[in-house]
Amino acid sequence: MQASTPPPPPAAPSGTAVPFDSTAQLMTEISIQLGDRLSRVRLRGLPPRPRADRPPDAPRPVHPPDAAHPTLLAVAHGSRDPAALRTVTALLDRIRELRPGLAVRLGHIELNAPLLPDTLAELHGQAVAVPLLLARGLHANHDIPAALADAPHLATRLARPLGPHPLLAEALHARLEEAGARRPSAVVLAAAGSRAPESAADTARTARLLSDRLGGVPVLPAYASAPADGGPPGTPLSVPAALRALAARGHRRPALASCFTAPGRFAAQCAAAAPGPAAAPLGDHPALARLVLHRYDQALAARGECVQDSPGAATVTV
């Protein structure tokens, strides 16, 4: 026995309320009117909703499945240390826990699979690339934008590197405490370093933020890539040079804050040079996961720039 469809309500003069014989008739009328109105709504960047009277065999409009929430593409440096990939994977898992439903993918600049070009080739629609780098430098300024430009099938945004930011200082502080440096007399902030001058400016800013969290404790930035024996005036300090500078001020056992996302050669090299407590890399610290999502949200919210939903869209750097 087939269920009968409730008859439509009787017609009435314009401006006169029409009585409904049943709740089913009322719900039917609401559904029809709501569907008609929704069919006229056009969301920003999306095609209109297909009308209810569209023939069933008519082609459906095609648009990226991630148009509302572009993929978060985390871009890590890469390392030969097998612990690096495990650490970055744990960080991405924490990000997924903080933002359920968000597609999160990983691409490496070098040394580890998946490499960034390979991940980009697998993506469709829209993506926001968030460098898991803690300062500006050649990778953030040139290598990542070049890789995104070589993926014209994607509409992409490039977010800022993670540092400097108070959330980064929060994670650095927490790792120092975990290493036993709850009240250090001084700290060396060990970072990778870069030939780009803005890299040193960013790391110096992070050092000031960390000093503020520590109540004004001296925090001296130093770089794993700097020459150990120094150089001409203005050359960034290496970690051994920074340790010597602090020792000359009476700080014989300063703590070492590891301004690295994951384990690797530079992080191990810096930790080995520390005479006092050496913090672990930042890894999957909750503050770092929140910072990645903050950079993602910043990129999406940037005024005057739109992620285009057509193939071949240009990359927007935020």
Side-chain angles (χ1 to χ4, degrees):
M1 182 175 182
Q2 295 182 344
S4 59
T5 303
S14 177
T16 303
V18 178
F20 291 95
D21 295 333
S22 68
T23 301
Q25 287 186 7
L26 175 61
M27 295 305 297
T28 299
E29 181 66 17
I30 289 174
S31 299
I32 292 171
Q33 293 191 24
L34 181 60
D36 182 66
R37 282 169 169 76
L38 287 176
S39 70
R40 300 190 182 102
V41 174
R42 180 178 177 85
L43 298 177
R44 185 179 181 185
L46 294 178
R49 180 180 183 271
R51 290 182 59 87
D53 55 355
R54 180 177 55 83
D57 56 347
R60 295 181 178 271
V62 177
H63 55 84
D66 56 354
H69 301 287
T71 297
L72 190 162
L73 172 56
V75 184
H77 184 278
S79 171
R80 292 185 177 88
D81 187 330
L85 180 57
R86 293 195 299 269
T87 302
V88 172
T89 300
L91 173 61
L92 300 194
D93 287 342
R94 189 177 291 275
I95 292 168
R96 294 183 183 102
E97 291 172 2
L98 292 173
R99 191 72 60 88
L102 176 63
V104 180
R105 299 290 301 276
L106 172 64
H108 291 93
I109 297 169
E110 58 182 356
L111 299 176
N112 282 114
L115 290 172
L116 179 56
D118 297 333
T119 301
L120 288 168
E122 296 173 356
L123 294 177
H124 301 280
Q126 303 175 13
V128 176
V130 181
L132 302 183
L133 307 173
L134 306 181
R136 291 169 293 173
L138 296 177
H139 290 315
N141 295 347
H142 299 287
D143 297 341
I144 300 175
L148 299 183
D150 286 339
H153 63 289
L154 281 177
T156 56
R157 286 181 184 270
L158 175 57
R160 294 177 56 188
L162 301 184
H165 193 275
L167 283 171
L168 176 57
E170 178 183 335
L172 288 164
H173 185 192
R175 291 293 189 233
L176 281 170
E177 290 189 330
E178 291 170 4
R182 295 189 176 277
R183 293 182 179 86
S185 65
V187 174
V188 170
L189 179 65
S194 169
R195 293 190 299 274
E198 58 266 38
S199 174
D202 286 350
T203 305
R205 173 62 178 155
T206 298
R208 291 193 295 272
L209 291 170
L210 179 57
S211 177
D212 290 343
R213 284 193 65 92
L214 292 169
V217 166
V219 177
L220 195 58
Y223 306 93
S225 58
D229 54 355
T235 301
L237 290 177
S238 66
V239 170
L243 291 169
R244 290 193 297 268
L246 287 175
R249 302 179 199 173
H251 304 289
R252 300 294 178 182
R253 287 178 55 81
L256 184 133
S258 187
C259 198
F260 300 98
T261 305
R265 179 172 62 88
F266 277 170
Q269 171 186 311
C270 294
L282 300 170
D284 65 340
H285 191 276
L288 196 68
R290 298 202 311 273
L291 179 51
V292 173
L293 287 170
H294 173 67
R295 292 303 193 207
Y296 171 87
D297 293 337
Q298 269 187 326
L300 289 181
R303 289 186 176 183
E305 304 285 2
C306 295
V307 177
Q308 302 179 37
D309 57 3
S310 59
T315 296
V316 175
T317 302
V318 179

